[in-house]
Amino acid sequence: AEVARAAAGWLARAGDRRLDDPVLVRHLWWTAVDLGLPLQLHTGFGDNDLRLHRADPAHLTDWLHLTAGTIPVMLLHCWPYQRQAAHLAAVFEQVYLDVGLALHHVGPARAGAVLAEALEITPFRKLLYSSDAYGVAEFHHLGAVAFRQGLAGLLQQRVDADELSLADALRIARWTGGDNARRVYGLTDLATDLTDPTDL
């Protein structure tokens, strides 16, 4: 009954279809858990009506404890809270993240810095590629270039510092570039070696 009342109120708001009613949001989140589907949550900056301090993914900590062992939770975009998102990905098995929206805003020259903060403690098997592109085709291209150049630079630094072998760096690039998303969303059988991603 509470959900029905909230839905009726939301549908009655002419011209404002943003789903921000806490009753409906809570209902949808728990419905995702019941269905066993991955849940994407946009955290960090976005539209001009949000209050950025309320978009910190660390606010999800109690809910992530409640849903441990259920569904994958994807923290999307995250900036400027990529470190908080990384912490959640490191301590909760079900949490994954991408920083795609930030990358096509900061561009290729700064993408490495944003990715470096996200990867300080994020397990390599938990980082997902995203261009967060919309509109013109150039946004898709810019997002892809920023991600590829940023990640390649970070991995090259680790290879040069003898922290990673070249084979490990290439495997991490495959994982973050597509294999992690295919695995967590159950999209296809993987042709690449992702049998034991916990070793990195």
Side-chain angles (χ1 to χ4, degrees):
E2 185 183 12
V3 170
R5 284 193 300 272
W10 177 66
L11 291 170
R13 291 186 341 214
D16 179 13
R17 294 296 181 176
R18 177 177 292 277
L19 185 57
D20 57 5
D21 185 291
V23 171
L24 296 178
V25 171
R26 185 170 55 245
H27 175 70
L28 291 172
W29 285 17
W30 286 109
T31 298
V33 172
D34 290 343
L35 293 173
L37 297 174
L39 180 63
Q40 297 179 333
L41 299 176
H42 186 156
T43 64
F45 90 112
D47 296 330
N48 66 2
D49 60 343
L50 71 79
R51 301 299 178 262
L52 189 58
H53 67 284
R54 296 181 65 194
D56 182 340
H59 293 303
L60 297 168
T61 301
D62 291 340
W63 187 78
L64 291 170
H65 278 290
L66 292 174
T67 58
T70 59
I71 60 169
V73 176
M74 304 350 190
L75 303 178
L76 306 185
H77 317 318
C78 305
W79 188 94
Y81 302 115
Q82 56 267 22
R83 282 181 161 151
Q84 287 87 329
H87 163 75
L88 295 175
V91 299
F92 289 101
E93 183 56 35
Q94 77 269 33
V95 175
Y96 300 78
L97 70 116
D98 81 52
V99 290
L101 178 62
L103 299 189
H104 82 85
H105 279 275
V106 302
R110 292 287 301 154
V114 174
L115 278 168
E117 290 183 352
L119 276 172
E120 284 171 342
I121 60 172
T122 300
F124 293 120
R125 63 190 175 86
K126 301 279 202 82
L127 182 68
L128 306 172
Y129 163 72
S130 161
S131 70
D132 193 57
Y134 58 90
V136 297
E138 287 79 5
F139 283 162
H140 294 269
H141 176 71
L142 179 61
V145 167
F147 181 85
R148 283 198 309 263
Q149 289 182 359
L151 184 64
L154 291 174
L155 293 175
Q156 186 64 57
Q157 288 172 15
R158 292 189 179 193
V159 169
D160 292 345
D162 205 25
E163 294 177 13
L164 288 175
S165 69
L166 178 59
D168 284 340
L170 293 173
R171 185 178 340 149
I172 291 164
R174 283 196 311 269
W175 288 359
T176 57
D179 286 354
N180 290 343
R182 282 190 286 274
R183 175 175 41 84
V184 76
Y185 286 106
L187 298 176
T188 62
D189 293 331
L190 297 181
T192 55
D193 175 20
L194 197 54
T195 55
D196 186 13
T198 58
D199 62 337
L200 291 174

